[in-house]
Amino acid sequence: MKTRLLIAVAVMAFTTCAMGATPTTLKLQRGGTTVPTTTAVGGAPLTNLELDPAMTGGDTHDAPLGQGLGLGAQPLVNRSIAHGHAGSNRMGSATRTKSNPQLLGGFNGLDFYDTRFANGGNQFSVEPPDQGLCAGNGFVMESVNDVLSIYDRAGNKLVGPVDLNTFYGYPAAINRSTLEYGPELTDPSCYFDESTQRWFQLILTLDNIGTTSSFAGTNHLDLAVSQTSDPTGGWIIYKLPVQNNGTQGTPNHGCPSGFCLGDYPHMGADANAIYLTTNEFDFFGSAFIGAQIYVVSKHALASGAASANVVLFNTGSPLVSVVGFAVMPARSSGGHFVSLHGGTEYLLSSDAVFSSQGTSNNIWMWSVSNTRAIDTMPQNLRLNFSLVTVQPYAVPTSMAQQKAGSTPLLDCFATSCAPTFLGYPTNVYPGPRALGVNDSRMEQVSFANGMLWGTLDTDVLLADSSHGSGINYFAINPNSGVVSVNDTLSLPDANLTYGAAAVTQRGNGVIAFTVVGPNEYPSAGYAGLDAKVGAGPVHIAAAGVGPWDGFTGIPFFGSGPRWGDYGAAVVDGTRIWIASEFIAQTCTLTEYLTAPIGQCGGTRGSLGNWGTRISAISP
């Protein structure tokens, strides 16, 4: 269904919603420097510390593998507040193509093996990966939980894998010789700014108490900025505390446990500033405070200044009439920024997660104005927000079924393999396990051709009347509020999930996503996007070759199946690079048990097999 909708929004929605308080002004301090350097890949294939105890609430210092992990705790990061869906759904009707005339090429990116065995294996097993991709000046840089690599345009690896703890100057995630723990790094994001010719790499860092496996509660955004246009060279690291309890220069947002958490950080930019947004939760509880918008001087960062001005807008403040969730800042290509009102940055968010039924036909458009004042009078920046009516969307209610195939981790649990090698009790679980899908939070936002382009995942009906996941997309004129294109991209027999769109200044774009269904292994997919016809047919950039077979799909682990948390798409001149999670390997239980155990010839780890695919597309 690709109907072109023209939706005019009431003028009042664009004139009366302004934040009624002076924003909080802060300082971002320069820290150390770093150079991305490939770390050794290797280490013991299986240990009694495969998972970070701090993330699971357990203590594994002397426990056999798999015991004492405190499994079943709510994931600490990438939380949701979504409710179930009880409304109507749109039936999937998009078509597939067997050829890919727009596909310029592609290569496999980082995978579970890289993230587990980088830095000599002093890493944890991590799922899901999360996708940070950026490109420019002849380079492509990918970061996931918890490694990064840098490639040339042909896909040749120039640096990597580099574990993120080493890149940001921290001790290893786990020193397997001394059992000392480094901080937990998660949710990477990356951006290449053409106007300054600088690379920006963002991560959320959760501090430990000393070298133990217990969280201190303090957490900060670490923002690395390249010193030149070459990402393989030197970088400067800046640190921004986000526990927002009145310590380390932060405001006090009153989180019940005494520490707030800057979850799900993302990044955008205009001519004057870099925008960092987070979902603020209570660190040791479940309370949601509201999305945070941090405005940071881009010129100070690009010049390597000792400090940079920061302006913080708290959408959870009582002075704001609407609470933001996953507020996503826009990115623009080619230096095409908005100069109106002293410089303006647009952001989008959705609100179905707040509905008791998990449905909505509204999204929120936010704007930060007078951004030119960030270096001289930061207190004069202003936040405005307005309501935009779009096609109804809903929080997906069902996980994504996948095609049956070899799942050696799942098979291991059904045999003596589990107690012998993994340290878990034998149990038979049906397989392959379904994948987790996204809630309806806003995904990547682009400002291009005078329009704001965004996507979010939504509940849809499949041909067999079961529930699935599709992608709602839209293009909004930020001045008039007119929605020029808005529809749902979905297939009748498969799920599309974790969509991310990028659009060139000519108004031609690409939506990247994962395609998965009962007849399809998790595959990297994409569709064209423009303001005249909306989304085009679904293409497969790289077909999955086997089922997802990860530890969060084992009910014993409690937190539920995790797949992705976000994808990525970026404009690089006349091409668009996309990165999606998919499955690039398959093996049998016999191959899984062949030494080194669980690696299947270096294609996976004992507890997971996710991979990523990076593709170049001419829109």
Side-chain angles (χ1 to χ4, degrees):
M1 296 180 178
K2 296 179 287 295
T3 307
R4 186 186 182 201
L5 304 180
L6 292 175
I7 305 174
V9 184
V11 174
M12 282 292 290
F14 289 88
T15 58
T16 60
C17 302
M19 188 169 180
T22 301
T24 301
T25 56
L26 307 167
K27 282 288 186 180
L28 180 66
Q29 300 298 326
R30 174 173 168 163
T33 60
T34 188
V35 175
T37 305
T38 303
T39 57
V41 177
L46 197 58
T47 74
N48 67 337
L49 279 171
E50 284 301 309
L51 307 183
D52 185 349
M55 295 293 283
T56 55
D59 183 359
T60 63
H61 283 278
D62 299 306
L65 179 65
Q67 298 180 15
L69 283 176
L71 304 173
Q74 174 181 331
L76 184 61
V77 293
N78 290 2
R79 297 175 180 173
S80 179
I81 52 176
H83 299 280
H85 165 60
S88 60
N89 308 83
R90 296 173 67 88
M91 183 71 73
S93 62
T95 60
R96 301 170 186 251
T97 60
K98 294 184 178 179
S99 62
N100 292 299
Q102 299 169 305
L103 191 63
L104 301 177
F107 53 92
N108 289 351
L110 294 162
D111 59 23
F112 191 101
Y113 181 86
D114 292 323
T115 204
R116 170 60 181 83
F117 295 105
N119 196 18
N122 290 304
Q123 295 265 101
F124 291 111
S125 291
V126 176
E127 188 171 81
D130 300 345
Q131 181 55 246
L133 180 77
C134 48
N137 196 34
F139 298 95
V140 178
M141 181 170 169
E142 182 191 24
S143 52
V144 299
N145 290 335
D146 274 319
V147 287
L148 67 80
S149 283
I150 301 172
Y151 311 87
D152 64 19
R153 276 186 161 198
N156 299 307
K157 188 178 292 185
L158 305 176
V159 181
V162 183
D163 68 289
L164 294 180
N165 281 63
T166 295
F167 177 76
Y168 281 97
Y170 294 116
I174 170 65
N175 185 317
R176 298 193 179 278
S177 298
T178 64
L179 294 185
E180 294 179 331
Y181 295 78
E184 177 74 27
L185 276 63
T186 187
D187 289 1
S189 183
C190 183
Y191 169 67
F192 174 68
D193 185 70
E194 294 176 68
S195 65
T196 60
Q197 291 290 293
R198 294 293 185 269
W199 300 75
F200 297 84
Q201 171 70 30
L202 177 68
I203 201 77
L204 170 63
T205 299
L206 313 178
D207 294 328
N208 288 336
I209 300 175
T211 58
T212 71
S213 62
S214 299
F215 285 137
T218 52
N219 59 112
H220 39 97
L221 301 182
D222 288 359
L223 181 62
V225 184
S226 70
Q227 295 176 264
T228 70
S229 60
D230 183 351
T232 66
W235 295 64
I236 297 170
I237 299 172
Y238 293 85
K239 298 182 185 297
L240 181 66
V242 293
Q243 63 266 17
N244 291 340
N245 62 353
T247 65
Q248 298 180 347
T250 64
N252 192 339
H253 290 173
C255 286
S257 71
F259 296 90
C260 298
L261 170 69
D263 188 28
Y264 201 71
H266 277 76
M267 180 165 41
D270 75 348
N272 306 301
I274 296 293
Y275 297 81
L276 312 178
T277 61
T278 66
N279 277 339
E280 188 164 277
F281 286 88
D282 182 31
F283 193 106
F284 296 107
S286 59
F288 177 64
I289 308 304
Q292 307 297 306
I293 303 172
Y294 296 89
V295 187
V296 188
S297 168
K298 185 164 72 172
H299 304 299
L301 295 174
S303 65
S307 64
N309 286 343
V310 179
V311 170
L312 168 59
F313 294 102
N314 175 17
T315 74
S317 166
L319 298 173
V320 182
S321 59
V322 58
V323 177
F325 176 74
V327 176
M328 196 65 59
R331 297 183 177 191
S332 181
S333 62
H336 290 261
F337 301 117
V338 181
S339 59
L340 294 175
H341 310 298
T344 299
E345 166 72 357
Y346 294 108
L347 310 91
L348 295 176
S349 66
S350 62
D351 65 3
V353 295
F354 295 112
S355 164
S356 60
Q357 294 187 331
T359 62
S360 179
N361 65 341
N362 298 320
I363 59 175
W364 291 92
M365 183 174 70
W366 308 77
S367 64
V368 179
S369 59
N370 198 27
T371 65
R372 196 176 301 150
I374 185 66
D375 291 309
T376 56
M377 301 186 71
Q379 69 275 12
N380 288 344
L381 272 67
R382 287 293 178 264
L383 177 68
N384 298 278
F385 49 95
S386 47
L387 189 66
V388 180
T389 302
V390 297
Q391 179 190 100
Y393 62 92
V395 177
T397 55
S398 301
M399 293 185 293
Q401 300 299 317
Q402 56 175 335
K403 182 179 177 180
S406 181
T407 53
L409 174 61
L410 203 66
D411 295 342
C412 184
F413 273 84
T415 69
S416 60
C417 164
T420 301
F421 296 104
L422 300 182
Y424 292 103
T426 298
N427 204 340
V428 177
Y429 299 113
R433 301 292 297 177
L435 281 65
V437 298
N438 201 4
D439 58 23
S440 62
R441 69 184 66 194
M442 188 67 59
E443 292 292 325
Q444 194 166 295
V445 175
S446 297
F447 178 74
N449 198 29
M451 308 289 290
L452 276 175
W453 306 74
T455 61
L456 53 83
D457 283 16
T458 184
D459 191 71
V460 296
L461 285 176
L462 304 180
D464 61 2
S465 297
S466 66
H467 289 263
S469 177
I471 298 170
N472 190 289
Y473 60 87
F474 33 79
I476 305 166
N477 185 318
N479 298 315
S480 66
V482 172
V483 181
S484 63
V485 62
N486 178 206
D487 206 353
T488 298
L489 177 68
S490 59
L491 290 172
D493 58 348
N495 296 269
L496 308 180
T497 190
Y498 296 101
V503 183
T504 70
Q505 290 305 321
R506 290 191 173 187
N508 301 315
V510 174
I511 307 175
F513 41 78
T514 295
V515 183
V516 57
N519 302 309
E520 204 136 21
Y521 298 128
S523 302
Y526 70 93
L529 177 66
D530 65 47
K532 293 183 179 180
V533 298
V538 171
H539 300 253
I540 300 297
V545 299
W548 164 68
D549 184 39
F551 70 90
T552 62
I554 306 294
F556 187 83
F557 285 79
S559 62
R562 301 290 303 277
W563 178 263
D565 273 323
Y566 45 89
V570 295
V571 176
D572 177 21
T574 60
R575 70 180 63 189
I576 292 177
W577 292 93
I578 63 173
S580 298
E581 189 178 353
F582 86 129
I583 298 300
Q585 71 84 235
T586 185
C587 64
T588 65
L589 179 59
T590 299
E591 293 169 317
Y592 178 89
L593 293 175
T594 301
I597 187 172
Q599 295 188 9
C600 293
T603 63
R604 60 167 294 159
S606 59
L607 295 186
N609 71 332
W610 56 258
T612 63
R613 182 71 177 183
I614 300 172
S615 304
I617 298 169
S618 174

